[in-house]
Amino acid sequence: MSRINDFAIKIATVNGTGSASANTLLMKSIFRSGIPVMGKNYFPSNIQGLPTWYEIRVSKDGYVARSGKIDIMVCMNAETYARDVREVAAGGYLIYDSTWPRPALLKREDVTVLGVPLAQMCNENFKGVRTRILMKNICYAGVLAALLDLDLARIRELLAETYAKKPALVESNMQAIQLGYDYARQHFVCPLPLRVSPMDKTAGHIMIDGNTAAALGCLYAGATVAAWYPITPSTSLMDAFKSFADKTRIDAETKRAQFAFIQAEDELSAIGMVLGANWNGARAFTATSGPGVSLMGEFLGLAYYAEVPAVLFDVQRVGPSTGMPTRTQQCDVLAAAYASHGDTKHVCLYPANPEECFYMAVQAFDLAERLQTPVMVLLDLDIGMNDWMCRDLVWDDAYRPDRGKVLDRDEIEKLEKFHRYVDKDADGITYRTLPGVHPKGAYFTRGSGHTQFGTYTEDAAEYQVVMDRLTRKFATAKRYVPRPVLQGDGRATGGIISIGSCDGAIREALDVLAQRGIKLDYLRVRGFPFGEDVESFLESHDRLYVVEQNRDAQFRSLLILETRVEKAKLHSLLHYSGLPVSSAFIVDGVLADLAEGQRTVAGVVS
């Protein structure tokens, strides 16, 4: 059966063999053909030698999540053959290096096996062990180009862009692609029933990863200080910011950098530097992952209580402890919301894709200064390190940073006396000053018990005045965090509620369920604290599926703790394998729950 622009490819290789270049080349050539596509890289945390996989989803309907099935498997790693063969859907195709025949692969009669002597061809045409290994991966890209009917001219164009400064590499890579392409055309029926056909659905879109988009947002927001300690998967966010700043924040005359980029000795030092810079009036940020959030806890508590702005990007990975550093999860939801000891609550933003990483980066800086508190942006490895198809990023040149309630010199001069923590506007947000602006504006920043006037205290009543005001400020934050996104008319009795990168899989699952006559509303929460939109959605639905990527239902727990929802309404669909959630997982989960409910009603289950 012919399926055009609607299939999934998975490529199994070994880390460190250059396969990433070939896989990205394939994905981008499909994108340049106007066809919606996504690519997800599953790689090990070591440098070289372990299995790695790359999944490409081609979807004429624009779905950006894993579908849950593989139509074409490219087996380039003998160690994972058995596992890889099992993943191929019935009626699918398996491509492998037939330089070493493997009759065991033929055991699946419902899969078409295509053998290509990749190593043999590369050994005959290229010199050097390393070159032959690299070219073998490029060669399978040529095989796929023939089988899928990809445009070789477009592939050459992409190679020319990639290796603009090394034209010799363009020719050698193109030679390897041509080898694979010609072999496939000579020995197989090309194209396959699963193939691509040019469309016009990528106009106005780009391919970008979330870490790069977030870094760009920091630049546009006016960030001038970045302090960090390297940790996967957040490092590329900081690298991207440095690259952007090097191009745009160097004084033309003096050649001096107009930004500070500091690699600290550890995560605690990094967040300390960020707080110091923000306290002095700069826009400063850091990026980390779960282990870093744990180490930064004490300083985050200081920032909450002393009311110092800060922005932190938490690119979540699998835990606990070191966990699996190169796998994705949403397992810092509670850690971020309540980071540090004592009664602390932090503003959190939950982007669903790289596009939102860009815009939410800007919002995070505005919120941090408006609310005078840390703001954490919780993306994850899937968003942060994978390329996504997103709408073009659009910038408003009229944007001006929201610095919040910062008194300038003239305003301070008019004051009889400045009190740092007095709530004049009854919204929980007090006025602040920046160092060196005016002597009247000086105050002692305390992480210990203090009164609303900024003086030290251990008096119970005076302490509670400050803590109650912080509660009011957190309530005020509900008006400022990004509002949730509702899909549906709100009339269904059941619904799905979720955050972050689950979004693509949920949207596809909703379409599949609707085709089966199951209608659900969907609310994607984009910020914490939760506002009335969230409360209303929870109250207006009888049965709610909470989709999240962790074992312990952290988002569900946060909803129970922070809203009026009845606990029994919330039914968890928990995905925590370390791979991005698929639409099939959600569809299967909802159907299983509904079937269980019908059995219970019928009395089959007491």
Side-chain angles (χ1 to χ4, degrees):
M1 180 180 177
S2 178
R3 289 218 318 271
I4 299 174
N5 299 335
D6 183 22
F7 55 89
I9 308 167
K10 194 167 186 179
I11 302 164
T13 57
V14 176
N15 200 38
T17 59
S19 59
S21 298
N23 300 334
T24 302
L25 183 69
L26 284 166
M27 183 185 65
K28 288 185 176 180
S29 67
I30 296 169
F31 176 76
R32 291 279 182 94
S33 299
I35 306 163
V37 64
M38 71 82 180
K40 296 192 184 297
N41 192 16
Y42 316 131
F43 59 100
S45 55
N46 76 331
I47 296 174
Q48 187 168 348
L50 289 183
T52 182
W53 292 268
Y54 194 87
E55 190 171 338
I56 298 174
R57 173 84 184 277
V58 182
S59 172
K60 58 182 173 53
D61 297 314
Y63 294 129
V64 297
R66 296 171 60 232
S67 65
K69 73 172 188 174
I70 301 300
D71 301 295
I72 301 172
M73 176 70 76
V74 181
C75 291
M76 299 294 293
N77 183 4
E79 290 185 13
T80 63
Y81 270 148
R83 169 181 175 177
D84 297 333
V85 172
R86 288 196 300 270
E87 280 197 59
V88 186
Y93 298 83
L94 187 144
I95 302 163
Y96 81 108
D97 188 349
S98 62
T99 303
W100 303 277
R102 300 178 185 275
L105 285 176
L106 305 176
K107 288 182 178 179
R108 280 198 62 180
E109 296 180 357
D110 61 342
V111 170
T112 301
V113 178
L114 305 175
V116 183
L118 296 165
Q120 179 183 330
M121 289 192 298
C122 289
N123 289 343
E124 292 171 353
N125 288 274
F126 298 99
K127 296 180 180 179
V129 175
R130 180 62 179 166
T131 299
R132 288 167 174 170
I133 291 172
L134 295 174
M135 291 305 158
K136 186 170 68 170
N137 288 326
I138 297 297
C139 195
Y140 74 64
V143 173
L144 285 170
L147 294 173
L148 302 178
D149 204 19
L150 291 172
D151 186 345
L152 283 188
R154 184 167 284 114
I155 291 177
R156 173 178 278 279
E157 177 185 282
L158 283 164
L159 284 172
E161 292 176 11
T162 304
Y163 301 115
K165 296 181 180 179
K166 299 179 180 179
L169 289 179
V170 176
E171 295 310 316
S172 60
N173 277 264
M174 202 62 210
Q175 181 185 354
I177 287 171
Q178 195 72 52
L179 283 172
Y181 185 89
D182 291 343
Y183 186 93
R185 298 278 294 186
Q186 291 167 12
H187 293 84
F188 310 130
V189 176
C190 295
L192 297 177
L194 304 176
R195 63 183 180 86
V196 301
S197 180
M199 301 178 71
D200 59 357
K201 286 194 173 184
T202 61
H205 289 75
I206 59 173
M207 297 294 296
I208 191 171
D209 64 82
N211 283 352
T212 299
L216 194 62
C218 292
L219 188 84
Y220 274 80
T224 56
V225 178
W228 66 301
Y229 184 78
I231 182 172
T232 301
S234 69
T235 297
S236 61
L237 194 159
M238 304 304 288
D239 289 343
F241 179 79
K242 175 68 161 54
S243 175
F244 293 140
D246 281 338
K247 294 175 182 177
T248 61
R249 294 263 168 84
I250 303 296
D251 186 87
E253 294 183 4
T254 66
K255 307 302 180 183
R256 293 183 61 182
Q258 297 177 311
F259 67 98
F261 187 81
I262 311 158
Q263 181 176 326
E265 62 267 33
D266 54 35
E267 286 90 349
L268 189 60
S269 299
I271 190 64
M273 294 172 184
V274 168
L275 296 184
N278 275 290
W279 182 81
N280 274 283
R283 285 197 150 182
F285 73 98
T286 190
T288 190
S289 188
V293 173
S294 298
L295 290 169
M296 294 177 183
E298 185 175 356
F299 262 143
L300 288 169
L302 167 66
Y304 171 82
Y305 192 38
E307 300 178 71
V308 180
V311 172
L312 186 156
F313 293 89
D314 178 8
V315 190
Q316 299 169 92
R317 70 187 203 188
V318 172
S321 188
T322 304
M324 295 191 290
T326 57
R327 294 290 187 265
T328 194
Q329 219 168 71
Q330 296 173 315
C331 54
D332 300 341
V333 175
L334 290 175
Y338 301 122
S340 197
H341 50 277
D343 292 324
T344 56
K345 289 184 182 180
H346 300 292
V347 174
C348 298
L349 306 183
Y350 310 116
N353 50 56
E355 179 185 354
E356 285 197 333
C357 287
F358 173 73
Y359 296 115
M360 283 190 180
V362 180
Q363 290 175 307
F365 284 99
D366 284 349
L367 285 169
E369 293 205 278
R370 180 185 294 166
L371 299 168
Q372 301 171 29
T373 196
V375 173
M376 285 186 261
V377 184
L378 274 69
L379 54 160
D380 56 39
L381 184 146
D382 181 26
I383 296 175
M385 295 192 71
N386 285 322
D387 286 323
W388 291 55
M389 188 181 86
C390 298
R391 291 175 298 185
D392 286 341
L393 304 178
V394 179
W395 182 249
D396 182 2
D397 286 330
Y399 167 80
R400 295 294 179 270
D402 183 348
R403 306 307 303 267
K405 297 180 180 180
V406 180
L407 298 174
D408 61 25
R409 182 179 181 84
D410 292 339
E411 290 170 323
I412 298 172
E413 180 68 44
K414 296 174 184 176
L415 296 175
E416 182 178 341
K417 191 171 182 61
F418 172 67
H419 296 298
R420 173 65 178 94
Y421 300 114
V422 172
D423 185 8
K424 293 184 177 180
D425 301 327
D427 59 0
I429 306 171
T430 64
Y431 289 82
R432 66 185 178 116
T433 60
L434 299 178
V437 173
H438 194 288
K440 271 190 184 180
Y443 66 96
F444 191 84
T445 304
R446 298 181 185 274
S448 57
H450 52 263
T451 70
Q452 62 181 318
F453 306 110
T455 58
Y456 175 79
T457 188
E458 292 188 22
D459 180 83
E462 290 178 335
Y463 163 78
Q464 285 184 242
V465 167
V466 174
M467 292 298 288
D468 289 344
R469 179 183 56 76
L470 290 173
T471 300
R472 289 198 302 277
K473 181 167 76 169
F474 199 69
T476 297
K478 295 179 181 181
R479 304 201 304 264
Y480 296 128
V481 297
R483 294 184 63 182
V485 177
L486 174 66
Q487 179 173 326
D489 56 17
R491 297 177 183 176
T493 58
I496 293 178
I497 186 167
S498 188
I499 55 174
S501 63
C502 301
D503 181 61
I506 293 171
R507 288 181 179 276
E508 182 175 358
L510 289 171
D511 289 346
V512 175
L513 290 168
Q515 292 168 7
R516 302 190 184 195
I518 301 168
K519 182 180 178 183
L520 297 172
D521 292 323
Y522 166 42
L523 190 75
R524 177 166 66 86
V525 177
R526 299 197 298 159
F528 176 72
F530 307 132
E532 283 301 313
D533 289 342
V534 176
E535 295 277 11
S536 176
F537 185 84
L538 295 173
E539 290 174 358
S540 62
H541 293 82
D542 298 330
R543 194 172 192 83
L544 291 156
Y545 299 101
V546 186
V547 180
E548 54 186 309
Q549 297 179 71
N550 59 70
R551 183 196 69 181
D552 292 343
Q554 294 186 29
F555 179 54
R556 179 178 183 270
S557 297
L558 196 61
L559 289 170
I560 292 169
L561 288 167
E562 299 289 340
T563 71
R564 303 183 294 268
V565 69
E566 296 176 20
K567 184 177 179 179
K569 278 187 176 186
L570 303 179
H571 301 265
S572 288
L573 296 181
L574 304 175
H575 188 277
Y576 49 92
S577 67
L579 300 178
V581 63
S582 70
S583 57
F585 171 84
I586 298 166
V587 170
D588 292 345
V590 171
L591 292 177
D593 181 76
L594 292 176
E596 181 67 23
Q598 289 172 355
R599 287 195 296 271
T600 302
V601 171
V604 176
V605 177
S606 60

